Amino acid sequence: MQFAGCFAGAVLTENVFAWPGMGTMITSAIDNRDYSLIQATVLVVAIAFVVINLITDLLYMVINPKVAAEAKKGANNV
């Protein structure tokens, strides 16, 4: 969940300080109504968000064995 907050902060920071980056690219694409670029960046950010959350959940199951045991227990009850 922190990834989304960091990305939103990056967009704001890049626009305030005029730094080149993905946030600046997104805002300039919105200003220029470049819909294909907007769709592509939203898709990339969404995929990165899902992958990062998946990796975090899997690592949490490895680190905390109780979570893995509860996941197996819950899968058997369904």
Side-chain angles (χ1 to χ4, degrees):
M1 299 309 291
Q2 292 292 324
F3 175 72
C6 288
F7 186 75
V11 170
L12 181 67
T13 304
E14 288 174 5
N15 284 318
V16 168
F17 294 108
W19 292 341
M22 198 161 181
T24 307
M25 181 178 66
I26 290 172
T27 54
S28 66
I30 292 171
D31 289 340
N32 296 330
R33 295 184 178 156
D34 187 0
Y35 297 116
S36 59
L37 182 59
I38 296 168
Q39 288 175 342
T41 53
V42 167
L43 181 66
V44 167
V45 169
I47 289 172
F49 183 76
V50 169
V51 168
I52 288 170
N53 281 328
L54 177 66
I55 291 170
T56 302
D57 288 342
L58 293 175
L59 285 176
Y60 189 65
M61 284 178 53
V62 170
I63 292 170
N64 190 354
K66 289 182 182 180
V67 174
E70 289 179 14
K72 288 180 185 177
K73 179 181 164 185
N76 291 335
N77 291 337
V78 175

